[in-house]
Amino acid sequence: MFRQNLTLNLIETKSSASKKSLGGSLELKSSGKGLLNLNLGGPFSSSVDLIDATVPLERQGWYHGAISRVEAECTLRPLNEGSFLVRNSESTRQDYSLSLKSAKGFMHMRIQKNDAGQYILGQFSRPFDSIPEMIRHFCLNRLPIRGAEHMVLLEPVIAQLL
């Protein structure tokens, strides 16, 4: 029986390397002489692919539950700018916090439910039906928070179970 071996190499282009996203081309090499290159159409955000808005918050890998602000900062410290996680708010029991690593340090933004039962980030975001829907939106769109207007959520930090 003949079995062909394939190697998959994901190639990062120069333009996508500076944006910390995967893009450019996909190269498939076979153990024979064949080589197949497939252009994926340029950079795309891998973080959006990790956010499934249909999955409840409690089952999202980037939801860390009841960790403190200090624990969130320790988790984010060695990671890249744009890394983020969602946790329970320490100050208001029914609220959540979006913790984000920025170029200047860390930001902790409150996520609260409005009277209609929808979620709002800070004071000026549009309302969302769920937190995963909100997070997915801000992986594609800039944050409506003073000091973070230039930022989008880039890298979800998946909680490590011990």
Side-chain angles (χ1 to χ4, degrees), residues 75-132:
T75 300
L76 292 167
R77 187 166 281 112
L79 303 176
N80 295 325
E81 180 181 346
S83 296
F84 68 91
L85 60 88
V86 173
R87 60 186 176 82
N88 296 349
S89 172
E90 287 182 283
S91 56
T92 311
R93 196 172 161 162
Q94 69 273 12
D95 292 345
Y96 299 89
S97 293
L98 170 63
S99 296
L100 170 70
K101 183 170 183 185
S102 72
K104 297 177 183 173
F106 306 101
M107 301 185 78
H108 304 277
M109 297 156 273
R110 179 165 297 172
I111 299 171
Q112 44 193 340
K113 228 178 200 182
N114 65 11
D115 294 335
Q118 294 177 304
Y119 294 93
I120 297 174
L121 179 65
Q123 295 177 317
F124 304 111
S125 87
R126 72 170 183 82
F128 296 89
D129 291 331
S130 70
I131 293 174

Side-chain angles (χ1 to χ4, degrees), residues 67-81:
I67 67 169
S68 69
R69 177 187 197 104
V70 172
E71 289 172 304
E73 290 178 3
C74 287
T75 300
L76 292 167
R77 187 166 281 112
L79 303 176
N80 295 325
E81 180 181 346

Side-chain angles (χ1 to χ4, degrees), residues 34-78:
L35 177 64
L36 172 68
N37 283 308
L38 173 65
N39 187 341
L40 297 176
F44 58 89
S45 176
S46 58
S47 65
V48 174
D49 298 332
L50 295 174
I51 311 297
D52 183 349
T54 65
V55 174
L57 176 64
E58 295 75 21
R59 293 189 44 222
Q60 298 283 351
W62 40 264
Y63 172 63
H64 289 239
I67 67 169
S68 69
R69 177 187 197 104
V70 172
E71 289 172 304
E73 290 178 3
C74 287
T75 300
L76 292 167
R77 187 166 281 112

